[in-house]
Amino acid sequence: MTGPALPRPGLPWPGRVRRALDRPPPVRVGALVTLPGAAVRTAPAVALLACAALAGVPGGSLGPPALLAAAALAVARPALPVAPVAAAVLGLGVLAGPDLLGTAEQPGAPWRLAGLVLAVDVLLRTAALAAQTAWRGRVERAVLRGTARAAAGSQALAQVLLVIAVRLRAGGGGDTVTAGSLRVPALAAVTVLLLLAVPAAWRTRHRRPDPPSPHERP
Amino acid sequence: MTAGMTTGAAPGTPPGPGPLWGAQPVLVWTAAAGMVLLALGCVTGRADVVLVAVPAVLGAARAFGTRPRGGLDVSTRPAAEPPGQNGGQEPGGSVLAAVVRVAPPAEVPAGIPVTARLRISRPGHQPAEVLVDATRPRELPVDARSVRTGRQPLYRVEHQGVGQGVAGPVGRVAPAQVLVVPRARRLADDLPMPVTLRGLTGQHAARRPGSGGDLRDVHPFSPGDSPRQVDWKVTARRSPQLDELWIRRTTSLGEAVVAVVVDSRDDVGPDPTTWSGVRAVRADDATSLDLAREAAATLAEAYLGGGDRVGIEDLGVRRHAVRTGTGRRQLDRVLHLLAGLQPEGEPPERVRPPRLAAGAFVYVVSTFLDPEAAVIASTWRRAGHGVVAVDVLPRLATAGLDARHALALRLVLLQRDDLLADLAGAGVEVVRWTDEAGSAAHLRLIARQSRRRPGTPAGALR
């Protein structure tokens, strides 16, 4: 009778590396048509680069490295609000640049604006989805279809507004759009919308409960 | 999976109205960024900036205004018909199959898609994390392959309803339990037999005279013998004057009594770093108790298939496990008992070995990491029982052990080798069960030795 070979204390690292690479068997979820979670996690970065390509990278020489860092951060830490902040920065870049509805100066600018409106929406939607997705997880295609359907309404409205704005500009109504008389009601509308959108719980001041009266029995 | 018994489906989260789903930081920041751009675009009269902000503001407002209320309704149950052939038993182990039912919350605004975020896990497996559409109730088949037997937990499900920037409460579903019955190996019909058989019926020829067996000898006719047994040719040759009749005597038949003694006190895996119990054994690593269940099931099925009597003893508990019996129902009893074996605390030290039937052939199935099983096996051997020690310590995965683990394992294995050498010296055959071909050949050799008549040279066996 010979027993098992006695182990010798040798080099521990190759074995540990092999053990780390040798993953346990997975739990399988069947009957699903899915995409890998890694693809969903990297989608915000791709959308962010597309937005930057359409809007132009602001910030001078620091712009491209910051953009790449933001893209990497959006992939690595999807729970951080990288995508909304990046969208706001890109919007500020649009604000600082020439008017994209100025069709006379830039013939292809409305198309760029249409692409930018779409890309920003995709960026924000995919960022919200990526925040819920594990790196090794799976995402059912029906979830992506539902997200696309939910985004279709607001995207269609934005594109219709874009067409209207372009028509107004092309028909000589550009001054109407930028008229100072419309800015005040527009700002008021935004403020009302803001107040409606912000939850009521955020606007109410939380009061401390009154201390119990010494005459009350516990 | 031969899931003979379950303790019922795990209860899911009770449906009903609950809190509104909360807004995630991403949604708040999206709304804020959209508002800022919208305000700046209005103030500066830049319609292009306003248009960039419109989808963000509208999307955030819609997500916030159409939040569902309450948690998902999730439950699990074992699958009625596991995938795969042979009832879930496959060469790579058994398939633990279950069904996860996901239903949307009680209050969902019309037209709003609901997504379920599921994390499905079980010990020793890599968990699955999926985002699935839960707008309508649906059932998801879940399975995982495992070589483990006995009482096994199914899947623990952690779930959360999520939407566009909103998320519901987190719920958890406790795993249901299934009993995975061990699968028997195929053994040759040639099995070791005890020295004495029991009874007057059975499948094996005994040594005492009787009916049903092979020729034993020829003997002068005596009162009580049947005239049908008279061998006229022998009588004519030995007694030409017919003053004495000679009869052919045959051997009787009998059945073997086999006791399979399983040591359920140890349940160790191939990786010695898991022996402390801190780290879980992988699902594709069979532990010593899995091997012990398989060995005992194999031996029981082989002997019961040959018409013999088999009983089970457990060294881990102080009660009689399964008394000896025969037949298909006895096999079911044995398999069910084996599936339920598990270490139960720290059993007190035995004063005397369990009582066995007289003349029983004994298999002691143990890891022999401590001397108790070896001492009991030696005691039975001294009492005249035929004893085979079945070593079920798994093949050890020693790669990657640090110096302290390697030294500790070396000491344990040295002590164990001494125990096994003492067993062999006491006349107990030691069969290593992890060596499939070797163990079968060793059992065949023991079977041939057990049938050896006194006076036959041992070398004639080979």
Side-chain angles (χ1 to χ4, degrees), chain A residues 35-107:
Chain A
L35 288 178
V40 176
R41 288 282 293 264
T42 51
V46 176
L48 179 57
L49 296 178
C51 288
L54 290 166
V57 182
S61 61
L62 289 178
L67 178 70
L68 292 178
L73 197 59
V75 172
R77 292 278 184 271
L80 293 179
V82 177
V85 171
V89 171
L90 289 174
L92 292 177
V94 171
L95 184 65
D99 191 350
L100 292 176
L101 288 174
T103 53
E105 298 85 13
Q106 305 175 37

Side-chain angles (χ1 to χ4, degrees), chain A residues 1 3-9 11-12 15-16 18-19 22-32 78-81 84-85 87-88 91-92 94-101 113 116-117 120-121 124-129 131-134 136-140 142-143 146-147 150 154-155 157-158 161-162 165 169 177-178 183 186-187 190 193-194 197-199 202, chain B residues 24-26 28-30 33 35 37-40 42-49 51-52 54-59 61-62 64 95 113 115 117 120-122 124-133 138 140-145 155 160 162-167 271 273 279 282-284 391 393 397-403 406 409-410 413-414 416-417 420 430 432:
Chain A
M1 171 66 205
L6 295 179
R8 295 172 182 278
L11 295 174
R16 288 185 185 180
R18 193 161 54 242
R19 186 183 296 168
D22 188 14
R23 297 192 172 279
V27 173
R28 294 172 299 191
V29 182
L32 290 179
L80 293 179
V85 171
L92 292 177
V94 171
L95 184 65
D99 191 350
L100 292 176
L101 288 174
L113 182 58
L116 182 61
V117 170
V120 168
D121 202 9
L124 296 174
R125 302 267 178 186
T126 54
L129 192 60
Q132 312 287 353
T133 306
R136 296 181 184 280
R138 310 284 302 178
V139 180
E140 194 181 15
V143 173
T147 304
S154 59
Q155 185 59 224
L157 179 62
L161 290 176
L162 172 64
R169 285 288 179 87
V177 175
T178 58
R183 293 181 186 176
L187 195 57
V190 168
L193 196 61
L194 186 72
V198 170
W202 296 2
Chain B
Q24 300 289 95
V26 171
V28 177
W29 280 88
T30 300
M35 294 291 183
L37 288 180
L38 201 59
L40 285 176
C42 289
V43 169
T44 58
R46 288 286 297 271
D48 52 349
V49 179
L51 288 172
V52 169
V54 163
V57 174
L58 288 181
R62 184 166 189 263
F64 195 82
V95 176
T115 302
R117 181 184 185 188
I120 305 168
S121 58
R122 78 175 300 275
H125 280 89
Q126 204 175 332
E129 296 190 34
V130 288
L131 283 180
V132 298
D133 181 32
R138 60 187 300 190
L140 302 172
V142 178
D143 65 81
R145 191 177 296 276
Y155 302 98
Q160 185 182 30
V162 295
Q164 189 66 32
V166 295
D271 186 354
T273 59
R279 292 179 56 224
R282 291 168 54 113
D284 53 351
D391 174 18
L393 186 70
T398 55
L401 288 183
D402 57 21
L409 179 64
R410 188 180 172 84
L413 292 183
L414 281 172
R416 180 175 172 277
D417 282 350
L420 294 178
V430 180
R432 188 161 171 74

